[in-house]
Each structure stands twice: as C-alpha cells, then as structure tokens.
Amino acid sequence: MRSPVRGLASSDGEEGSDRTPLLQSTPRVEAAPVCGSARYNLAVLAFFGFFVLYALRVNLSVALVDMIDSNTTLADNKTSKECAEHSAPIKVLHNQTGKRYQWDAETQGWILGSFFYGYIITQIPGGYIASKVGGKLLLGFGILGTAIFTLFTPVAADFGVGALIVLRALEGLGEGVTFPAMHAMWSSWAPPLERSKLLSISYAGAQLGTVISLPLCGIICFYMNWTYVFYLFGIVGIIWFILWILLVSDKPETHKAISRHEKEYILSSLKNQLSSQKSVPWVPMLKSLPLWAIVVAHFSYNWTFYTLLTLLPTYMKEILRFNVQENGLLSALPYFGCWLCMILSGQAADNLRAKWNFSTICVRRVFSLIGMIGPAVFLVAAGFIGCDYSLAVAFLTISTTLGGFCSSGFSINHLDIAPSYAGILLGITNTFATIPGMVGPVIAKSLTPDNTISEWQTVFYIAAAINVFGAIFFTLFGKGEVQSWALNDQHGHRN
C-alpha cells in the first residue's frame, strides 16, 4: 500500500534505491526474532550506557548549586521586574556538610562550559578510530574514563577552579567518542529496516538518564551532600563498563551467543551496503551534499535544543521569576517527553518503511520537519506568553518532546548514506553540532543586557529561524540511499 506522502521523495528519482535497503540482488532472509536477540541486547546495554553517560554529564549542573557559597552569587542576580514573583523562597538544604566555594557567575560558566571544549575535540578522531578498530572498546573506555574522572571531581574542586575545569574537559574528551563509536557499531549490527528502532532505543538512554539524574542528584544533595553525587554515579559507570565488556561484541561474526539465524539475517541485510576498502574516502565524503545536509540539520537542531534546555529556564527565572529548578519534576518533564517520543517515533519510522512502503528519505524528511519546525514554533510562542509561567513549562515540554522525532530523522541518516563510515560522519556532524552549546548562551547573554521580554523574543526568533532553515535544507538536499563514494565500485550502486 502506498502513501500519498511518498510524493516528497519523488523528486529524487531514486525511490527504488532507498525504499527497500535490503537490496534487490540479495535473497531476503526472514527477520530474526526480537526477543532474546543479540542486536536488541546490544540496544538495551547501549541504552543504559547512554543513561550513565548523561547522568555523568548533568550531575555537576545540579551539584554546583550546592557547591557554591550562596552569598557569592547575590551580587550577580539581575532579575526583571516585569512579572510578579512566582517562586517560593528556597528552603535551606537539610545537609550542609559539603565544602562551599566562592565562585562567581563567570567562573561557574567556565566550569560548566569546559566540558564542551573537550567534547568537540574527539568527535572526528573517535569516529575514525571506531571505523578501524571497532566501537566496543572505544565506547566502553570513553564511559569508563568519564566515570573515573567523575569520582575525582570533589578532589579537583579542592585543588581549585583550574583543576576542575581541566577535569571537566577531560570528561568531555571521554564522552566525545561515544556517539561516533555507537554509530560505528550499529553500521555492523542494525538491519536497515530496524535502524530507527534500534538506534532510538539506544540513544533514548541519554534522555532518561537526564530525567532520573536531575531530581536524584537533588535528593542526594538534600539528604547527604554534593560529593556523593559524583561518587555514586561514578561507581555506576564502572559497573556498566564491566557488563559492556563481558556481554557485547563489535560485530555479529564475533558474538559468542548470537543465533545462526540472526547472524545470517543481519549479514545478508547489510551485504551490499558496507565497503571493504581500507582507506577513508575523505575528499568525496567532504564534497557530499547529503552529508552537509545532515551537518546543517544537526547544527540547527542543537541550537534550538540548547536554547530550550539552557536559556529558557534562565528566561523563566529572570523574566517570569519562576525557578523551574525548584521543582525536580518540572526540570525533568521535558526530557521525559523527548525520551518517550524517541522510543515511539523509532517504532513508527520503521513501520512506515517496512509495512507501508515509505521510502527511507521520505521518513527521514517528515520526521526531521516535525522534530525541528515543531520546537521552533513553540520557542517563538514562548516569547508571547507574557508572565504565564505555566504556559512556559508547557511550551518547554512540548518543544523538547517534538524534538524527539529527529532521532528517526536526520540523526540516523548517516547510516543510510554511508553505513561503513557512519561513525566518522557522526563525528563530523556532531563537531559542528557542539558549537551551539558553546556559543549559543554567550550570544543570548549579549542580546539580553537588560533582561526584558522583547530582548528575549529576539533570542527565540534567532533560534527558531536557524531551526527552520536547517529543516528546509535537509528536506531539499538529504538522501536516503547509500552514496557511491561509500561503496566499492564492484557493487554498482548509483548515487
């Protein structure tokens, strides 16, 4: 049965080449069962890996509130008087045994931002190394290194700001290899018609890790002290690493417990999609417009993503005078919506391709449009809500939830156009996509010197415009089939 939406892909003239990635020349092997399968076990372990990864990433944001001497930040407050006060007075924490530091707002910004300076460096090298040696050890040691550095956070804080900044940058170096390494592994493990499901499951762990770690870190600080935030999550990361090393394999061929049927199913589905050439085709890769379509989409999406999750809470606190961080549930709600949307959209995307015969590029375009234009609309709307903080929370949640559609859109398009080099491609796109996390808050701060609603509307307009541009660019230039430069000549696939 055909869908009328297929018209979106017709302009490519290549519907047949991307509609069924199981390929015409290869006998189709019946899909292996899901229950107990090695590929879904990998997805579950990866899910918990990214759960731990994001818990390790966001724990400092929560703990830092308890690490700072409250008297230090009083002079930095610049709250608008346009709206009435909504927040209840902040209660004194039960436990105050953790050491406090006199770090001003600028210093705190350097501490929180230092992670990105390490994170951006290892994206492309991580993808390249994973393509050569496999992603298992790279991903495992990336999370292990981050967990170990996390354990030493209290010690680094005692040594001083410089030591803590260096430590956070080192954590960023470790986390930087993880997504490219995981993409490299899925290039060998994910049957094309199950990509959306498998990748959405594995990467959704990042969202749930944020959902749970935000309020949990607050509880730990409340009843214990901030140092235990780093100790507990660091230990969890080490435990996960042990399970990962014992239970996971780089490829189906080397997995000890995989069934013969599942191995044949995976290998046959990927037979004509992977390249055996040893050298990376850097020049044609970097000239590929479909790759730059993903780069633009990834950069644009992250600009709005960081605006929503970093700047809108600031807007709510300084303009609407309602601190969303005072309520753990409200802090985690947007991430929960995004996690749920990622899981459901992954199922929907693969069903559209396998059962409804939608082309790959059609699905990627539609899901990217929803996941990018939707958040842009609600971001602009956030500038026109006046002093209604309830609507602000609702718009933040809806915007972030809709962004989950991108997990089955441009986010996994690397595997569609060049599965053999998916880790490298993700390293390239994620390098550009890290820039908004570094410069977005700085630009927003420069645009809001007086913290007025009109100034913040400009911030939201810019973010929304960038997101819409990215969605349109990907729709025009994105592709859904394996590109010729990503295959051996003998395969005869056309671009």
Side-chain angles (χ1 to χ4, degrees), residues 379-452:
L379 187 58
V380 170
F384 293 92
I385 59 175
C387 296
D388 191 336
Y389 69 89
S390 297
L391 271 181
V393 174
F395 288 163
L396 170 62
T397 302
I398 295 171
S399 299
T400 312
T401 298
L402 290 175
F405 277 94
C406 287
S407 65
S408 296
F410 72 83
S411 291
I412 63 173
N413 192 228
H414 318 74
L415 282 159
D416 298 323
I417 66 172
S420 293
Y421 308 105
I424 296 175
L425 297 191
L426 181 62
I428 293 171
T429 66
N430 215 18
T431 297
F432 285 94
T434 303
I435 296 173
M438 301 165 68
V439 304
V442 176
I443 292 175
K445 187 175 181 180
S446 67
L447 291 173
T448 55
D450 299 317
N451 262 335
T452 64

Side-chain angles (χ1 to χ4, degrees), residues 56 139-151 170-171 174 241:
L56 295 172
L139 175 60
F141 281 107
I143 296 181
L144 176 66
T146 306
I148 292 174
F149 287 130
T150 297
L151 290 172
L170 290 173
E171 288 185 30
F241 170 78

Side-chain angles (χ1 to χ4, degrees), residues 324-344:
V324 72
Q325 292 181 344
E326 293 175 15
N327 190 316
L329 176 62
L330 294 181
S331 300
L333 194 59
Y335 298 96
F336 178 79
C338 188
W339 168 76
L340 189 62
C341 185
M342 286 178 71
I343 297 293
L344 296 178

Side-chain angles (χ1 to χ4, degrees), residues 42 50 126-136 138-139 177-190 199 203 249-252 270 274 414-415 418-427:
L42 172 61
F50 285 101
Y128 179 77
I129 295 171
S131 70
K132 295 298 183 182
V133 302
K136 173 186 173 179
L138 194 62
L139 175 60
V177 304
T178 53
F179 281 93
M182 191 72 251
H183 249 48
M185 289 188 71
W186 282 127
S187 69
S188 299
W189 273 99
L199 272 77
Y203 293 140
S249 179
D250 272 312
K251 297 181 178 180
L270 296 171
L274 300 177
H414 318 74
L415 282 159
S420 293
Y421 308 105
I424 296 175
L425 297 191
L426 181 62

Side-chain angles (χ1 to χ4, degrees), residues 249-295:
S249 179
D250 272 312
K251 297 181 178 180
E253 300 96 304
T254 57
H255 197 283
K256 296 178 180 178
I258 190 172
S259 69
R260 181 179 178 182
H261 181 201
E262 184 181 10
K263 184 190 297 185
E264 290 179 354
Y265 165 59
I266 295 173
L267 296 180
S268 65
S269 68
L270 296 171
K271 184 177 180 181
N272 289 347
Q273 292 213 338
L274 300 177
S275 171
S276 60
Q277 56 186 332
K278 300 299 182 183
S279 60
V280 178
W282 289 106
V283 174
M285 177 187 293
L286 294 176
K287 288 182 177 179
S288 175
L289 189 56
L291 168 60
W292 289 103
I294 305 174
V295 169

Side-chain angles (χ1 to χ4, degrees), residues 17-336:
S17 64
D18 76 347
R19 182 188 305 150
T20 308
L22 296 183
L23 301 174
Q24 306 89 331
S25 60
T26 306
R28 182 165 180 172
V29 178
E30 183 181 350
V34 169
C35 185
S37 65
R39 65 193 188 281
Y40 277 89
N41 287 342
L42 172 61
V44 171
L45 275 169
F47 173 90
F48 285 109
F50 285 101
F51 178 100
V52 171
L53 197 70
Y54 266 64
L56 295 172
R57 179 187 292 197
V58 305
N59 57 9
L60 181 63
S61 301
V62 180
L64 193 62
V65 176
D66 206 23
M67 295 168 67
I68 304 300
D69 184 349
S70 59
N71 294 324
T72 306
T73 57
L74 290 178
D76 296 321
N77 292 338
K78 189 175 183 180
T79 303
S80 170
K81 302 299 182 183
E82 291 185 73
C83 298
E85 179 70 61
H86 290 296
S87 299
I90 299 176
K91 298 179 181 179
V92 178
L93 298 179
H94 288 175
N95 191 298
Q96 299 184 49
T97 59
K99 190 173 180 179
R100 303 296 179 97
Y101 305 94
Q102 294 186 341
W103 297 332
D104 59 22
E106 183 179 357
T107 300
Q108 295 174 49
W110 278 104
I111 292 171
L112 292 173
S114 58
F115 171 89
F116 290 105
Y117 291 96
Y119 187 72
I120 197 172
I121 292 173
T122 50
Q123 295 290 329
I124 296 176
Y128 179 77
I129 295 171
S131 70
K132 295 298 183 182
V133 302
K136 173 186 173 179
L137 292 179
L138 194 62
L139 175 60
F141 281 107
I143 296 181
L144 176 66
T146 306
I148 292 174
F149 287 130
T150 297
L151 290 172
F152 285 98
T153 301
V155 177
D158 270 344
F159 271 103
V161 173
L164 185 56
I165 288 175
V166 170
L167 186 79
R168 285 293 289 179
L170 290 173
E171 288 185 30
L173 288 174
E175 289 204 18
V177 304
T178 53
F179 281 93
M182 191 72 251
H183 249 48
M185 289 188 71
W186 282 127
S187 69
S188 299
W189 273 99
L193 291 181
E194 293 184 10
R195 278 178 186 154
S196 302
K197 295 176 187 175
L198 291 168
L199 272 77
S200 62
I201 290 172
S202 57
Y203 293 140
Q207 305 300 328
L208 193 63
T210 307
V211 168
I212 293 180
S213 63
L214 279 176
L216 183 58
C217 286
I219 292 171
I220 293 171
C221 289
F222 191 87
Y223 290 107
M224 302 168 78
N225 69 55
W226 61 264
T227 61
Y228 289 96
V229 168
F230 304 104
Y231 296 146
L232 292 176
F233 284 113
I235 291 171
V236 170
I238 294 173
I239 294 172
W240 173 87
F241 170 78
I242 295 172
L243 294 174
W244 178 260
I245 293 298
L246 293 176
L247 300 176
V248 165
S249 179
D250 272 312
K251 297 181 178 180
E253 300 96 304
T254 57
H255 197 283
K256 296 178 180 178
I258 190 172
S259 69
R260 181 179 178 182
H261 181 201
E262 184 181 10
K263 184 190 297 185
E264 290 179 354
Y265 165 59
I266 295 173
L267 296 180
S268 65
S269 68
L270 296 171
K271 184 177 180 181
N272 289 347
Q273 292 213 338
L274 300 177
S275 171
S276 60
Q277 56 186 332
K278 300 299 182 183
S279 60
V280 178
W282 289 106
V283 174
M285 177 187 293
L286 294 176
K287 288 182 177 179
S288 175
L289 189 56
L291 168 60
W292 289 103
I294 305 174
V295 169
V296 172
H298 203 168
F299 177 93
S300 303
Y301 172 81
N302 271 21
W303 189 287
T304 301
F305 181 82
Y306 285 118
T307 298
L308 283 168
L309 299 182
T310 303
L311 302 180
L312 192 52
T314 302
Y315 173 80
M316 293 170 66
K317 178 181 179 181
E318 297 181 354
I319 300 295
L320 304 182
R321 305 178 73 184
F322 172 79
N323 189 354
V324 72
Q325 292 181 344
E326 293 175 15
N327 190 316
L329 176 62
L330 294 181
S331 300
L333 194 59
Y335 298 96
F336 178 79

